[in-house]
Amino acid sequence: MVTQYEITGTNAKGIAASIERGVADGALAPGSSLPPVRTLAEHLGVSPGTVATTYKELRRRGIVVTRGRGGTVVAEAPAVASRRPPKVPEGLRDLAGGHPDPAFLPELTPPAQVARGGRSHRAAPRLARLEELTRAWYERDGVPSAHVTFAHSALDCVARLLSTELRPGDAVAMEDPGYHHLLDLVPALGLRIVPVRVDDEGMRPEELRAAVRGGVRAVICSPRAQNPYGGCFSAARRDALAAVLAEAPDVLVVENDYTAEICGAPLHSLTAGGRLARWAQVRTVTKHLGPDLRWAALACDATTLARHDGRLLLTSGWVSHVLQEAVAGLLADPGARALVDEARTAYAVRREALIGELARRGISAHGGGGLNVWVPVRDEAAVVNGLRSCGWWVAAGARFRIGAGPGVRITTADLLPVEAGRLAADFAAVLGEAQATYGG
C-alpha cells in the first residue's frame, strides 16, 4: 500500500467515504498518494472497476487529482479540508489575519425598530433604500447598476453564481496566488481550477488568454487590492484583459471588489462601458464596516441576475431585512463615512511604510492597495519561523498558491509606521540566517 492510512469499504460509496474521512481528519494530507486502482482493489477484495468509480467520484468533488504516471493523490486544497490558517501562538504580534483595524470600524447597533411577527419578504426581498444606496455606490465607480441584488457574503454570492452557471468538471480561471477561501470553494463545487499568475497589475493577459482558449467557463478576478499580492488593474491592463475576454463572450467574469471603500487605488473595472456580455461584480462591507455584517452587493447582467436570484429564492429566500437596515444605516451615516475615509488614508500609509522599509533593506514586496503586503521568499517555513522568534506572526504563502512561487503575506492594517522599520530589520535578519542555513 502506498499510504499508511487504512482505506476500507466494500463498494464505491463506502471506499469514497473512507478516503474522505482520512482527508478530513488529516491522516491523508494534501499530496498524499493513493494506491493504484488494482492494488487497492486486491486489498479490499473488490473489482478494479469499483475503485476506478471511487476515484472518479472523488476527482469530480475536488478531493483528489490524477497526475498521469504520478497516480492519484489528495488535492492540494481538498474540498473537505479548508485552508484555514493555524492559530496565532500566544504572545505574538498577529500580522497574518487579513483583518481591518478595529479602530476604524463603526459601532454596530441593530435598527431602532424591528417589526414583530413572522413575515415573508420573498415578494420584496431588497429594501428600496439599500438598493438605491447600492446603485449609487456602483455608479460612483463607473460600474453599470441597472441590475443589482444582494447576497449573504462574497463567497455565498460567488458560490451561487458558479453553481447556477457551471457543471461539475467545468474549468474556472483563478488568480495565482489568490484568495484561499475561493481556492477551496471552487473544487468543493466540483469545478477545476486553471491558475492564472498575477503581478502588480493583476492577472497576466497572456496567461488568461491560454486559460480562455483552453475552455474555461468562468473567470474570477480582483480589479484592485488582489489578495494576497495586492495588484490593481491599470487602465492598460484592464483593456488588455478585456480584449482577451472578447474572444469568449459566453465566459462569466466575476470581479471581487472586496475593498472598494478602503483600497486606496482607483477602480479600472472590466465591467465598465459594456465590455462584457456575461459579468458580475461583488462588493462587501466587511473590511470597512465590520466582519459581522455578512452582506454583499452584486451588480451584473440581466441573465446573471435572474439565475442568481432564482437560486436564492429556492434556498434562503432573501437577505435578512434587519441586516439590510443595519447596512443601509451605516452606509448613509456621516460618522461612519468619516471613519472609512480615515481608514483609507491610514491603510495606505501603513502599507507603503512597510514596503519602503523593506526596499531600504533590498527586499522586494508587493502591495498596490488594500490591507496586505506580499513578500516573495525562497523558504516560507524558515521566514515564518524566524519572524516568530522575533515576536511576529505572518502568513505562509502556501495556502494562497497553486503554482506560483513561495512568499509570505503580511497584513499591515494595524501595523503602525513606527513599527515597520523594526519588522523590516527582523525580516532582513531572518533572510540572512535562512541563506546561511538553507542556501537562500
Side-chain angles (χ1 to χ4, degrees):
M1 301 292 287
V2 177
T3 176
Q4 296 297 314
Y5 176 74
E6 184 68 18
I7 299 171
T8 61
T10 58
N11 54 37
K13 184 177 180 180
I15 300 169
S18 173
I19 294 173
E20 184 172 336
R21 282 194 302 271
V23 174
D25 294 343
L28 290 172
S32 297
S33 296
L34 297 184
V37 169
R38 290 190 178 277
T39 302
L40 184 57
E42 291 176 6
H43 177 76
L44 298 176
V46 300
S47 72
T50 297
V51 176
T53 298
T54 299
Y55 285 2
K56 181 179 179 180
E57 172 63 15
L58 292 173
R59 284 196 301 272
R60 185 188 69 79
R61 293 171 51 210
I63 297 173
V64 304
V65 296
T66 299
R67 293 178 174 171
R69 293 185 178 180
T72 299
V73 302
V74 178
E76 290 301 319
V80 295
S82 178
R83 306 182 189 206
R84 294 188 180 278
K87 290 184 178 179
V88 181
E90 190 172 344
L92 297 187
R93 182 79 158 83
D94 181 12
L95 302 177
H99 305 303
D101 186 342
F104 295 119
L105 300 178
E107 182 178 353
L108 300 185
T109 56
Q113 293 183 340
V114 179
R116 293 181 296 174
R119 297 171 298 161
S120 171
H121 296 297
R122 291 180 186 274
R126 296 184 294 276
L127 290 179
R129 181 165 71 112
L130 184 54
E131 187 169 342
E132 182 180 343
L133 288 166
T134 299
R135 292 184 192 280
W137 191 17
Y138 279 118
E139 289 168 2
R140 181 199 67 188
D141 293 326
V143 178
S145 66
H147 307 288
V148 299
T149 189
F150 306 152
H152 297 95
S153 68
L155 288 171
D156 169 71
C157 185
V158 173
R160 193 171 296 110
L161 292 172
L162 295 179
S163 64
T164 57
E165 294 285 340
L166 279 63
R167 295 294 177 265
D170 285 345
V172 181
M174 302 186 70
E175 298 161 331
D176 184 20
Y179 181 37
H180 57 102
H181 288 309
L182 280 173
L183 295 180
D184 290 340
L185 173 64
V186 169
L189 295 173
L191 306 172
R192 294 186 295 111
I193 293 176
V194 176
V196 176
R197 286 184 298 171
V198 300
D199 57 25
D200 290 326
E201 295 183 72
M203 276 187 164
R204 299 183 181 185
E206 66 277 8
E207 296 208 5
L208 180 60
R209 178 173 286 107
V212 168
R213 291 180 177 176
V216 298
R217 295 285 312 283
V219 175
I220 303 177
C221 60
S222 302
R224 51 185 172 179
Q226 192 273 339
N227 186 6
Y229 205 90
C232 303
F233 288 173
S234 64
R237 176 61 57 85
R238 184 265 319 277
D239 292 345
L241 293 173
V244 170
L245 293 167
E247 300 176 10
D250 293 334
V251 169
L252 175 65
V253 179
V254 181
E255 284 190 346
N256 180 19
D257 192 21
Y258 74 105
T259 60
E261 292 303 282
I262 47 86
C263 172
L267 176 67
H268 297 289
S269 174
L270 291 164
T271 71
R275 298 167 182 265
L276 304 175
R278 299 300 315 284
W279 63 274
Q281 193 190 89
V282 186
R283 292 186 173 186
T284 62
V285 296
T286 55
K287 298 301 185 186
H288 68 279
L289 296 182
D292 275 340
L293 290 175
R294 311 307 295 170
W295 175 86
L298 171 66
C300 56
D301 65 88
T303 299
T304 300
L305 177 75
R307 292 177 179 175
H308 175 277
D309 282 6
R311 181 63 59 86
L312 180 66
L313 185 66
L314 294 174
T315 53
S316 59
W318 66 87
V319 175
S320 162
H321 277 210
V322 176
L323 174 58
Q324 291 188 48
E325 288 281 8
V327 172
L330 287 171
L331 289 178
D333 180 63
R337 295 299 317 168
L339 267 180
V340 170
D341 291 341
E342 288 182 42
R344 185 186 310 110
T345 300
Y347 292 151
V349 169
R350 295 171 184 183
R351 185 180 65 252
E352 291 165 6
L354 179 59
I355 293 174
E357 290 290 348
L358 289 170
R360 286 180 52 206
R361 293 162 176 84
I363 302 170
S364 175
H366 305 272
L371 308 179
N372 304 298
V373 167
W374 177 261
V375 188
V377 298
R378 292 187 181 181
D379 190 318
E380 292 179 2
V383 171
V384 170
N385 291 327
L387 289 175
R388 175 178 180 173
S389 69
C390 299
W392 309 101
W393 186 246
V394 301
R399 73 177 189 268
F400 304 99
R401 299 187 288 108
I402 305 171
V408 295
R409 191 192 74 173
I410 303 174
T411 298
T412 56
D414 64 350
L415 181 72
L416 300 179
V418 294
E419 301 174 290
R422 181 166 66 88
L423 173 57
D426 289 340
F427 205 115
V430 167
L431 288 182
E433 292 172 2
Q435 180 154 350
T437 304
Y438 301 105

